[in-house]
Amino acid sequence: MAHIVTITNPVTGQPAQVDQLDHTAQQIDDAVEAARWSHRNLLDNSYWSNPDAIIDQRGGYVVLNGSELYSDPELKNLAGTMIEPALAVVEKTNEYAKVTNDIGISYYAKVSDAVRGYVGAGYGIDRWKLNGVDGGNPVYLVDTHELINNSTSGYAQTVQIIPYDFAKNLVGKTVTMSVLFDEGLSGETFFELQEFNTWTRIAFQSVTAVSQVVSVTFTMPSISNNIQFYVGTRGNCKPIAAKLELGTVQTLAHQENGNWVLNDPPPDKGMELLKCQRYYQIFATQSLRPTDKDDFRPPMRVTPALGTININGKTYYTADANL
Amino acid sequence: MDEYYNKHYIIVDDAGRILSGWSDGPHPDRDTAGSVLLTDKGGYQFRLWPDGEENPMLTDWDGIPLYKLEDGCPVRRTGEEIEADRAAMPVPDPTPTMEERVSSLETSKANQTDVDELTEALDLLLSGVTE
């Protein structure tokens, strides 16, 4: 809005009527910037109910409790039934899925018993890091989008860390975070936004209802570190999708005939992959993997740690710039 | 929240020079035998110091270490130390000049011509051709 005011013309020295805006130029710039961001999901790779749409460059598999284990890759000598809650597959071929238990003994399971997923602390699907707190033991199953705490103590988390350089732009703004959970929730479940390293709580929401959106709106406080968003459970839960956005209301999902459905179409997988590849990339050919962060495509967040990973029996060369 | 921290390791030679470093975040299974634990409260990526660069270059382009461990702390090596390492690097064999390479080729070609003529004469003798 603008209104007429009378000023003194600095050139002529005579009174003159001019339009005066109610907002400063900086306020207008800030509003444009906020509008550009409004309702965009500030989380990467956070729509989990469609396993084919998830960015999962590591391609991890797990074998679950109760699976038959063999002592040989030909699967002729049955060693027993797996008693551990879950074990990560360390090598997978068309013939077997190899696992190694806590004391370093390897066994072989049927390929059909290997399901997409991750167990234990560390990165799983792109941008999401599993963590066990106070004795928690996390397992994440990709095809059923299930987070499990395989422990009688503590809780399991799936965590995304957002860099400070990006998060600082949210300070002082109204932010809403929301999660839609599927049926199959048990045990205390919650989601939280924290300041990294200090673990200062920014916003927290416990979850008791499923098949509906749970959200919380807050004003972003001053921060000096990265921030992290996580979903945590002492039992198990099945988060369908999560959203962190500027604005006073959640735009993750709406109700149709009493059912909650996601608002947005599934994110463009190509764009999600590009966002994730700033943090993690894999190469089939070692010589094609750059070393300088700016030579990767897309350029990576920082100089990455270089390593290798075995996916379906083949060695790939990795560049890890995760937080 | 100890679960969030990673261990950072470095390999140090007898002269205290830091040869390599890594975090058990991206490298959870790397063998730590012979390494020095820099910190057990580190971030996911390796740093020499808490506020240092993530995954810094530890050597220059000639492979000369840029840092050393001093009283248990990484410090940047001085320019004199780095140049002393560079001066101590083995000197590669001198590259032949263009003139030397051409002369060598000409000699080799002349020798080969002699060999070719001798070989041709021998073939003629063995085949019984006299004209």
Side-chain angles (χ1 to χ4, degrees):
Chain A
M1 287 290 290
H3 53 273
I4 306 294
V5 295
T6 302
I7 65 166
T8 301
N9 187 313
V11 176
T12 65
Q14 299 301 312
Q17 289 189 321
V18 295
D19 292 332
Q20 181 175 58
L21 298 175
D22 286 342
H23 304 285
T24 66
Q26 186 61 55
Q27 287 172 327
I28 293 171
D29 284 348
D30 289 348
V32 169
E33 185 68 8
R36 192 167 68 84
W37 284 15
S38 247
H39 305 312
R40 272 180 54 192
N41 196 346
L42 305 178
L43 298 172
D44 300 327
N45 201 27
S46 67
Y47 286 67
W48 302 302
S49 58
N50 181 351
D52 292 330
I54 293 172
I55 308 301
D56 182 21
Q57 294 186 85
R58 288 175 190 77
Y61 281 81
V62 299
V63 174
L64 299 175
N65 175 274
S67 300
E68 290 180 337
L69 295 180
Y70 298 80
S71 57
D72 61 305
E74 291 78 26
L75 307 184
K76 287 184 166 50
N77 301 312
L78 182 65
T81 302
M82 198 168 106
I83 60 171
E84 293 87 349
L87 288 176
V89 171
V90 296
E91 183 184 326
K92 182 171 170 290
T93 70
N94 292 334
E95 282 77 41
Y96 61 80
K98 180 180 175 184
V99 297
T100 303
N101 64 15
D102 286 348
I103 56 173
I105 300 176
S106 294
Y107 295 98
Y108 300 85
K110 295 176 195 162
V111 174
S112 57
D113 283 340
V115 296
R116 290 177 61 190
Y118 297 89
V119 59
Y123 276 91
I125 62 172
D126 283 58
R127 293 287 280 123
W128 293 93
K129 186 178 180 184
L130 290 179
N131 199 50
V133 179
D134 296 335
N137 183 14
V139 174
Y140 184 76
L141 303 179
V142 175
D143 290 334
T144 56
H145 56 275
E146 188 170 6
L147 176 67
I148 303 166
N149 178 29
N150 266 321
S151 171
T152 55
S153 61
Y155 59 94
Q157 297 175 310
T158 180
V159 181
Q160 181 164 123
I161 302 171
I162 299 169
Y164 170 72
D165 280 346
F166 182 85
K168 67 185 180 185
N169 297 295
L170 305 177
V171 172
K173 295 188 168 62
T174 302
V175 178
T176 296
M177 61 181 192
S178 48
V179 183
L180 176 61
F181 285 88
D182 206 346
E183 299 280 344
L185 183 149
S186 78
E188 186 186 350
T189 298
F190 38 87
F191 54 97
E192 182 174 1
L193 190 70
Q194 291 176 316
E195 185 172 359
F196 197 72
N197 267 353
T198 64
W199 319 124
T200 303
R201 173 169 291 176
I202 297 172
F204 176 89
Q205 181 62 51
S206 63
V207 180
T208 53
V210 293
S211 300
Q212 68 180 62
V213 171
V214 184
S215 69
V216 59
T217 299
F218 54 95
T219 300
M220 190 68 153
S222 176
I223 56 171
S224 54
N225 284 294
N226 302 331
I227 59 174
Q228 64 174 28
F229 170 91
Y230 76 83
V231 174
T233 183
R234 295 189 186 277
N236 56 277
C237 64
K238 299 176 73 173
I240 292 173
K243 192 165 187 177
L244 182 70
E245 60 189 308
L246 284 173
T248 57
V249 296
Q250 65 83 17
T251 62
L252 177 64
H254 66 281
Q255 271 191 300
E256 282 181 13
N257 300 321
N259 299 314
W260 282 91
V261 293
L262 295 172
N263 273 346
D264 304 325
D268 181 282
K269 190 168 183 181
M271 186 58 66
E272 288 298 306
L273 178 61
L274 280 177
K275 289 194 289 176
C276 292
Q277 284 180 324
R278 282 185 49 75
Y279 298 86
Y280 190 78
Q281 295 187 27
I282 64 170
F283 294 79
T285 305
Q286 186 174 10
S287 60
L288 294 180
R289 179 184 59 184
T291 53
D292 190 307
K293 65 180 179 68
D294 294 323
D295 287 333
F296 288 85
R297 288 296 174 264
M300 298 197 81
R301 183 186 67 86
V302 291
T303 302
L306 305 181
T308 59
I309 192 172
N310 186 292
I311 303 174
N312 284 337
K314 180 176 161 60
T315 296
Y316 290 87
Y317 302 90
T318 62
D320 189 336
N322 275 301
L323 290 152
Chain B
M1 286 285 195
D2 285 350
E3 295 89 350
Y4 282 97
Y5 294 117
N6 292 99
K7 293 186 172 73
H8 293 179
Y9 298 91
I10 53 175
I11 297 285
V12 180
D13 68 6
D14 293 339
R17 298 177 301 182
I18 297 175
L19 304 179
S20 67
W22 70 93
S23 159
D24 69 356
H27 303 296
D29 301 323
R30 185 168 287 185
D31 185 7
T32 58
S35 67
V36 173
L37 176 66
L38 203 54
T39 179
D40 60 357
K41 291 279 193 287
Y44 183 78
Q45 299 289 353
F46 172 77
R47 299 174 198 250
L48 286 169
W49 308 281
D51 56 349
E53 180 188 353
E54 292 171 273
N55 299 321
M57 273 187 70
L58 299 179
T59 65
D60 69 5
W61 294 109
D62 290 326
I64 296 174
L66 297 174
Y67 301 92
K68 62 184 177 183
L69 200 64
E70 203 167 75
D71 298 324
C73 295
V75 297
R76 193 163 178 103
R77 300 178 74 213
T78 64
E80 290 77 19
E81 288 171 320
I82 292 171
E83 288 313 309
D85 281 1
R86 200 181 316 283
M89 288 173 67
V91 179
D93 291 336
T95 304
T97 64
M98 185 60 68
E99 290 73 20
E100 289 169 340
R101 292 171 66 190
V102 169
S103 173
S104 173
L105 276 171
E106 286 173 340
T107 305
S108 173
K109 186 172 183 302
N111 291 342
Q112 184 62 38
T113 301
D114 290 342
V115 169
D116 289 344
E117 287 178 356
L118 285 171
T119 304
E120 187 179 354
L122 185 60
D123 287 341
L124 284 172
L125 283 172
L126 291 174
S127 68
V129 174
T130 56
E131 292 184 33

